[in-house]
PDB file of all heavy atoms in Angstrom:
ATOM      1  N   TYR A   1      47.351  45.926 -15.184  1.00 94.00           N
ATOM      2  CA  TYR A   1      47.139  44.848 -14.442  1.00 94.00           C
ATOM      3  C   TYR A   1      46.835  43.610 -15.172  1.00 94.00           C
ATOM      4  O   TYR A   1      45.844  43.604 -15.848  1.00 94.00           O
ATOM      5  CB  TYR A   1      45.994  45.162 -13.329  1.00 94.00           C
ATOM      6  CG  TYR A   1      45.633  44.038 -12.404  1.00 94.00           C
ATOM      7  CD1 TYR A   1      46.550  43.628 -11.509  1.00 94.00           C
ATOM      8  CD2 TYR A   1      44.449  43.418 -12.526  1.00 94.00           C
ATOM      9  CE1 TYR A   1      46.287  42.643 -10.636  1.00 94.00           C
ATOM     10  CE2 TYR A   1      44.124  42.322 -11.655  1.00 94.00           C
ATOM     11  CZ  TYR A   1      44.940  41.939 -10.699  1.00 94.00           C
ATOM     12  OH  TYR A   1      44.647  40.846  -9.945  1.00 94.00           O
ATOM     13  N   LYS A   2      47.647  42.581 -15.028  1.00 90.00           N
ATOM     14  CA  LYS A   2      47.508  41.302 -15.737  1.00 90.00           C
ATOM     15  C   LYS A   2      47.161  40.097 -14.836  1.00 90.00           C
ATOM     16  O   LYS A   2      47.284  39.018 -15.251  1.00 90.00           O
ATOM     17  CB  LYS A   2      48.754  40.913 -16.539  1.00 90.00           C
ATOM     18  CG  LYS A   2      49.130  42.094 -17.382  1.00 90.00           C
ATOM     19  CD  LYS A   2      48.157  42.393 -18.492  1.00 90.00           C
ATOM     20  CE  LYS A   2      48.595  43.417 -19.521  1.00 90.00           C
ATOM     21  NZ  LYS A   2      47.445  43.744 -20.491  1.00 90.00           N
ATOM     22  N   GLY A   3      46.666  40.382 -13.544  1.00 88.00           N
ATOM     23  CA  GLY A   3      46.331  39.293 -12.635  1.00 88.00           C
ATOM     24  C   GLY A   3      47.110  39.106 -11.439  1.00 88.00           C
ATOM     25  O   GLY A   3      46.688  38.277 -10.521  1.00 88.00           O
ATOM     26  N   ASN A   4      48.269  39.735 -11.312  1.00 89.00           N
ATOM     27  CA  ASN A   4      48.986  39.639 -10.125  1.00 89.00           C
ATOM     28  C   ASN A   4      49.665  40.949  -9.770  1.00 89.00           C
ATOM     29  O   ASN A   4      49.969  41.762 -10.608  1.00 89.00           O
ATOM     30  CB  ASN A   4      50.068  38.458 -10.105  1.00 89.00           C
ATOM     31  CG  ASN A   4      51.178  38.770 -11.145  1.00 89.00           C
ATOM     32  OD1 ASN A   4      50.877  39.194 -12.303  1.00 89.00           O
ATOM     33  ND2 ASN A   4      52.250  38.423 -10.862  1.00 89.00           N
ATOM     34  N   ILE A   5      50.051  41.188  -8.546  1.00 90.00           N
ATOM     35  CA  ILE A   5      50.722  42.390  -8.112  1.00 90.00           C
ATOM     36  C   ILE A   5      52.084  42.217  -7.639  1.00 90.00           C
ATOM     37  O   ILE A   5      52.319  41.173  -6.841  1.00 90.00           O
ATOM     38  CB  ILE A   5      49.904  43.142  -6.986  1.00 90.00           C
ATOM     39  CG1 ILE A   5      48.589  43.508  -7.426  1.00 90.00           C
ATOM     40  CG2 ILE A   5      50.672  44.296  -6.420  1.00 90.00           C
ATOM     41  CD1 ILE A   5      47.675  44.083  -6.335  1.00 90.00           C
ATOM     42  N   ARG A   6      53.110  42.812  -8.138  1.00 92.00           N
ATOM     43  CA  ARG A   6      54.496  42.697  -7.681  1.00 92.00           C
ATOM     44  C   ARG A   6      54.819  43.905  -6.785  1.00 92.00           C
ATOM     45  O   ARG A   6      54.166  44.737  -6.660  1.00 92.00           O
ATOM     46  CB  ARG A   6      55.406  42.665  -8.938  1.00 92.00           C
ATOM     47  CG  ARG A   6      55.123  41.410  -9.851  1.00 92.00           C
ATOM     48  CD  ARG A   6      56.069  41.655 -11.143  1.00 92.00           C
ATOM     49  NE  ARG A   6      55.694  40.425 -11.936  1.00 92.00           N
ATOM     50  CZ  ARG A   6      54.808  40.288 -12.899  1.00 92.00           C
ATOM     51  NH1 ARG A   6      53.795  41.236 -12.927  1.00 92.00           N
ATOM     52  NH2 ARG A   6      54.720  39.270 -13.534  1.00 92.00           N
ATOM     53  N   LYS A   7      55.975  43.606  -6.058  1.00 92.00           N
ATOM     54  CA  LYS A   7      56.361  44.590  -5.225  1.00 92.00           C
ATOM     55  C   LYS A   7      56.633  46.021  -5.842  1.00 92.00           C
ATOM     56  O   LYS A   7      56.203  47.082  -5.309  1.00 92.00           O
ATOM     57  CB  LYS A   7      57.793  44.199  -4.540  1.00 92.00           C
ATOM     58  CG  LYS A   7      58.317  45.168  -3.444  1.00 92.00           C
ATOM     59  CD  LYS A   7      59.606  44.662  -2.882  1.00 92.00           C
ATOM     60  CE  LYS A   7      60.130  45.697  -1.751  1.00 92.00           C
ATOM     61  NZ  LYS A   7      61.363  45.167  -1.121  1.00 92.00           N
ATOM     62  N   ALA A   8      57.087  45.998  -7.093  1.00 94.00           N
ATOM     63  CA  ALA A   8      57.253  47.219  -7.931  1.00 94.00           C
ATOM     64  C   ALA A   8      55.981  47.971  -8.083  1.00 94.00           C
ATOM     65  O   ALA A   8      55.941  49.158  -8.149  1.00 94.00           O
ATOM     66  CB  ALA A   8      57.879  47.030  -9.236  1.00 94.00           C
ATOM     67  N   ASP A   9      54.855  47.180  -8.170  1.00 95.00           N
ATOM     68  CA  ASP A   9      53.466  47.832  -8.382  1.00 95.00           C
ATOM     69  C   ASP A   9      53.084  48.526  -6.997  1.00 95.00           C
ATOM     70  O   ASP A   9      52.439  49.556  -7.145  1.00 95.00           O
ATOM     71  CB  ASP A   9      52.498  46.694  -8.722  1.00 95.00           C
ATOM     72  CG  ASP A   9      52.842  46.002 -10.033  1.00 95.00           C
ATOM     73  OD1 ASP A   9      53.298  46.707 -11.108  1.00 95.00           O
ATOM     74  OD2 ASP A   9      52.616  44.745 -10.130  1.00 95.00           O
ATOM     75  N   LEU A  10      53.431  47.829  -6.003  1.00 94.00           N
ATOM     76  CA  LEU A  10      53.092  48.534  -4.656  1.00 94.00           C
ATOM     77  C   LEU A  10      53.866  49.782  -4.480  1.00 94.00           C
ATOM     78  O   LEU A  10      53.366  50.770  -3.743  1.00 94.00           O
ATOM     79  CB  LEU A  10      53.409  47.579  -3.474  1.00 94.00           C
ATOM     80  CG  LEU A  10      52.706  46.258  -3.499  1.00 94.00           C
ATOM     81  CD1 LEU A  10      53.239  45.431  -2.313  1.00 94.00           C
ATOM     82  CD2 LEU A  10      51.228  46.419  -3.544  1.00 94.00           C
ATOM     83  N   LEU A  11      55.055  50.031  -5.070  1.00 94.00           N
ATOM     84  CA  LEU A  11      55.862  51.219  -4.864  1.00 94.00           C
ATOM     85  C   LEU A  11      55.596  52.141  -5.935  1.00 94.00           C
ATOM     86  O   LEU A  11      56.073  53.462  -5.866  1.00 94.00           O
ATOM     87  CB  LEU A  11      57.206  50.732  -4.845  1.00 94.00           C
ATOM     88  CG  LEU A  11      57.680  49.833  -3.664  1.00 94.00           C
ATOM     89  CD1 LEU A  11      59.203  49.386  -3.881  1.00 94.00           C
ATOM     90  CD2 LEU A  11      57.442  50.362  -2.325  1.00 94.00           C
ATOM     91  N   ARG A  12      54.905  51.845  -7.061  1.00 94.00           N
ATOM     92  CA  ARG A  12      54.670  52.718  -8.089  1.00 94.00           C
ATOM     93  C   ARG A  12      53.614  53.741  -7.753  1.00 94.00           C
ATOM     94  O   ARG A  12      52.494  53.484  -7.400  1.00 94.00           O
ATOM     95  CB  ARG A  12      54.371  52.009  -9.400  1.00 94.00           C
ATOM     96  CG  ARG A  12      54.174  52.870 -10.627  1.00 94.00           C
ATOM     97  CD  ARG A  12      53.982  52.072 -11.884  1.00 94.00           C
ATOM     98  NE  ARG A  12      55.103  51.156 -12.188  1.00 94.00           N
ATOM     99  CZ  ARG A  12      55.197  49.828 -11.984  1.00 94.00           C
ATOM    100  NH1 ARG A  12      54.108  49.163 -11.601  1.00 94.00           N
ATOM    101  NH2 ARG A  12      56.223  49.221 -12.352  1.00 94.00           N
ATOM    102  N   LYS A  13      53.901  55.034  -7.902  1.00 94.00           N
ATOM    103  CA  LYS A  13      52.965  56.062  -7.446  1.00 94.00           C
ATOM    104  C   LYS A  13      51.919  56.248  -8.542  1.00 94.00           C
ATOM    105  O   LYS A  13      52.206  56.492  -9.811  1.00 94.00           O
ATOM    106  CB  LYS A  13      53.737  57.334  -7.369  1.00 94.00           C
ATOM    107  CG  LYS A  13      54.706  57.358  -5.997  1.00 94.00           C
ATOM    108  CD  LYS A  13      55.254  58.801  -5.757  1.00 94.00           C
ATOM    109  CE  LYS A  13      56.155  58.675  -4.552  1.00 94.00           C
ATOM    110  NZ  LYS A  13      56.695  60.061  -4.269  1.00 94.00           N
ATOM    111  N   THR A  14      50.566  56.094  -8.114  1.00 96.00           N
ATOM    112  CA  THR A  14      49.511  56.562  -8.915  1.00 96.00           C
ATOM    113  C   THR A  14      48.551  57.312  -7.953  1.00 96.00           C
ATOM    114  O   THR A  14      48.735  57.282  -6.714  1.00 96.00           O
ATOM    115  CB  THR A  14      48.816  55.346  -9.464  1.00 96.00           C
ATOM    116  OG1 THR A  14      47.927  54.673  -8.346  1.00 96.00           O
ATOM    117  CG2 THR A  14      49.657  54.363 -10.042  1.00 96.00           C
ATOM    118  N   PRO A  15      47.594  58.061  -8.486  1.00 96.00           N
ATOM    119  CA  PRO A  15      46.743  58.809  -7.735  1.00 96.00           C
ATOM    120  C   PRO A  15      45.926  57.922  -6.699  1.00 96.00           C
ATOM    121  O   PRO A  15      45.261  58.413  -5.756  1.00 96.00           O
ATOM    122  CB  PRO A  15      45.785  59.558  -8.701  1.00 96.00           C
ATOM    123  CG  PRO A  15      46.610  59.609  -9.896  1.00 96.00           C
ATOM    124  CD  PRO A  15      47.420  58.381 -10.022  1.00 96.00           C
ATOM    125  N   TYR A  16      45.830  56.524  -7.030  1.00 97.00           N
ATOM    126  CA  TYR A  16      44.968  55.571  -6.334  1.00 97.00           C
ATOM    127  C   TYR A  16      45.780  54.638  -5.365  1.00 97.00           C
ATOM    128  O   TYR A  16      45.166  54.004  -4.639  1.00 97.00           O
ATOM    129  CB  TYR A  16      44.134  54.806  -7.341  1.00 97.00           C
ATOM    130  CG  TYR A  16      43.119  55.583  -7.953  1.00 97.00           C
ATOM    131  CD1 TYR A  16      43.436  56.256  -9.190  1.00 97.00           C
ATOM    132  CD2 TYR A  16      41.842  55.813  -7.519  1.00 97.00           C
ATOM    133  CE1 TYR A  16      42.535  57.035  -9.870  1.00 97.00           C
ATOM    134  CE2 TYR A  16      40.918  56.468  -8.168  1.00 97.00           C
ATOM    135  CZ  TYR A  16      41.245  57.212  -9.406  1.00 97.00           C
ATOM    136  OH  TYR A  16      40.328  58.011  -9.948  1.00 97.00           O
ATOM    137  N   ASN A  17      47.167  54.532  -5.536  1.00 97.00           N
ATOM    138  CA  ASN A  17      47.856  53.622  -4.817  1.00 97.00           C
ATOM    139  C   ASN A  17      47.963  53.995  -3.296  1.00 97.00           C
ATOM    140  O   ASN A  17      48.714  54.971  -3.049  1.00 97.00           O
ATOM    141  CB  ASN A  17      49.263  53.432  -5.438  1.00 97.00           C
ATOM    142  CG  ASN A  17      50.086  52.405  -4.733  1.00 97.00           C
ATOM    143  OD1 ASN A  17      49.617  51.831  -3.694  1.00 97.00           O
ATOM    144  ND2 ASN A  17      51.274  52.111  -5.253  1.00 97.00           N
ATOM    145  N   THR A  18      47.242  53.446  -2.478  1.00 97.00           N
ATOM    146  CA  THR A  18      47.255  53.792  -1.033  1.00 97.00           C
ATOM    147  C   THR A  18      48.470  53.312  -0.227  1.00 97.00           C
ATOM    148  O   THR A  18      48.520  53.462   0.939  1.00 97.00           O
ATOM    149  CB  THR A  18      45.967  53.261  -0.235  1.00 97.00           C
ATOM    150  OG1 THR A  18      45.823  51.860  -0.546  1.00 97.00           O
ATOM    151  CG2 THR A  18      44.668  54.109  -0.756  1.00 97.00           C
ATOM    152  N   TYR A  19      49.396  52.706  -0.956  1.00 96.00           N
ATOM    153  CA  TYR A  19      50.698  52.319  -0.364  1.00 96.00           C
ATOM    154  C   TYR A  19      51.571  53.558  -0.499  1.00 96.00           C
ATOM    155  O   TYR A  19      52.573  53.678   0.252  1.00 96.00           O
ATOM    156  CB  TYR A  19      51.410  51.140  -1.097  1.00 96.00           C
ATOM    157  CG  TYR A  19      50.787  49.780  -0.733  1.00 96.00           C
ATOM    158  CD1 TYR A  19      49.733  49.264  -1.282  1.00 96.00           C
ATOM    159  CD2 TYR A  19      51.426  49.071   0.318  1.00 96.00           C
ATOM    160  CE1 TYR A  19      49.181  47.991  -0.940  1.00 96.00           C
ATOM    161  CE2 TYR A  19      50.932  47.830   0.658  1.00 96.00           C
ATOM    162  CZ  TYR A  19      49.890  47.394  -0.049  1.00 96.00           C
ATOM    163  OH  TYR A  19      49.363  46.054   0.368  1.00 96.00           O
ATOM    164  N   THR A  20      51.083  54.506  -1.481  1.00 96.00           N
ATOM    165  CA  THR A  20      52.119  55.740  -1.687  1.00 96.00           C
ATOM    166  C   THR A  20      51.368  56.907  -1.428  1.00 96.00           C
ATOM    167  O   THR A  20      52.164  57.979  -1.334  1.00 96.00           O
ATOM    168  CB  THR A  20      52.591  55.697  -3.045  1.00 96.00           C
ATOM    169  OG1 THR A  20      51.555  55.709  -3.970  1.00 96.00           O
ATOM    170  CG2 THR A  20      53.422  54.420  -3.471  1.00 96.00           C
ATOM    171  N   ILE A  21      50.101  56.936  -1.222  1.00 96.00           N
ATOM    172  CA  ILE A  21      49.423  58.281  -0.871  1.00 96.00           C
ATOM    173  C   ILE A  21      48.741  58.264   0.427  1.00 96.00           C
ATOM    174  O   ILE A  21      48.604  57.089   0.941  1.00 96.00           O
ATOM    175  CB  ILE A  21      48.363  58.543  -1.932  1.00 96.00           C
ATOM    176  CG1 ILE A  21      47.145  57.495  -1.875  1.00 96.00           C
ATOM    177  CG2 ILE A  21      48.736  58.470  -3.324  1.00 96.00           C
ATOM    178  CD1 ILE A  21      45.863  57.785  -2.565  1.00 96.00           C
ATOM    179  N   ASN A  22      48.633  59.365   1.084  1.00 96.00           N
ATOM    180  CA  ASN A  22      47.916  59.391   2.274  1.00 96.00           C
ATOM    181  C   ASN A  22      46.352  59.701   2.051  1.00 96.00           C
ATOM    182  O   ASN A  22      45.875  60.200   1.085  1.00 96.00           O
ATOM    183  CB  ASN A  22      48.447  60.628   3.149  1.00 96.00           C
ATOM    184  CG  ASN A  22      49.822  60.515   3.350  1.00 96.00           C
ATOM    185  OD1 ASN A  22      50.290  59.415   3.736  1.00 96.00           O
ATOM    186  ND2 ASN A  22      50.674  61.575   3.217  1.00 96.00           N
ATOM    187  N   GLY A  23      45.662  59.035   2.903  1.00 96.00           N
ATOM    188  CA  GLY A  23      44.071  59.181   2.893  1.00 96.00           C
ATOM    189  C   GLY A  23      43.515  58.281   1.755  1.00 96.00           C
ATOM    190  O   GLY A  23      44.007  57.308   1.529  1.00 96.00           O
ATOM    191  N   LEU A  24      42.375  58.717   1.426  1.00 97.00           N
ATOM    192  CA  LEU A  24      41.484  57.963   0.413  1.00 97.00           C
ATOM    193  C   LEU A  24      41.884  58.321  -0.996  1.00 97.00           C
ATOM    194  O   LEU A  24      42.440  59.573  -1.283  1.00 97.00           O
ATOM    195  CB  LEU A  24      40.099  58.240   0.705  1.00 97.00           C
ATOM    196  CG  LEU A  24      39.528  57.663   1.948  1.00 97.00           C
ATOM    197  CD1 LEU A  24      38.169  58.329   2.262  1.00 97.00           C
ATOM    198  CD2 LEU A  24      39.459  56.152   1.977  1.00 97.00           C
ATOM    199  N   PRO A  25      41.640  57.423  -1.949  1.00 96.00           N
ATOM    200  CA  PRO A  25      41.920  57.785  -3.380  1.00 96.00           C
ATOM    201  C   PRO A  25      40.955  58.931  -3.704  1.00 96.00           C
ATOM    202  O   PRO A  25      39.951  59.224  -3.074  1.00 96.00           O
ATOM    203  CB  PRO A  25      41.496  56.581  -4.077  1.00 96.00           C
ATOM    204  CG  PRO A  25      41.579  55.429  -3.077  1.00 96.00           C
ATOM    205  CD  PRO A  25      41.285  56.100  -1.786  1.00 96.00           C
TER     206      PRO A  25
END
């Protein structure tokens, strides 16, 4: 993370990305 979020970041799966996971981190 360098200060801004791009659309690709919203779609990138991580255990914490609540755009791609269900429920809470």
Side-chain angles (χ1 to χ4, degrees):
Y1 177 66
K2 302 300 182 183
N4 65 320
I5 299 177
R6 299 175 175 83
K7 184 177 180 180
D9 298 321
L10 300 180
L11 300 176
R12 186 173 294 110
K13 291 185 177 181
T14 74
Y16 291 89
N17 184 356
T18 53
Y19 283 85
T20 62
I21 67 170
N22 298 320
L24 293 167

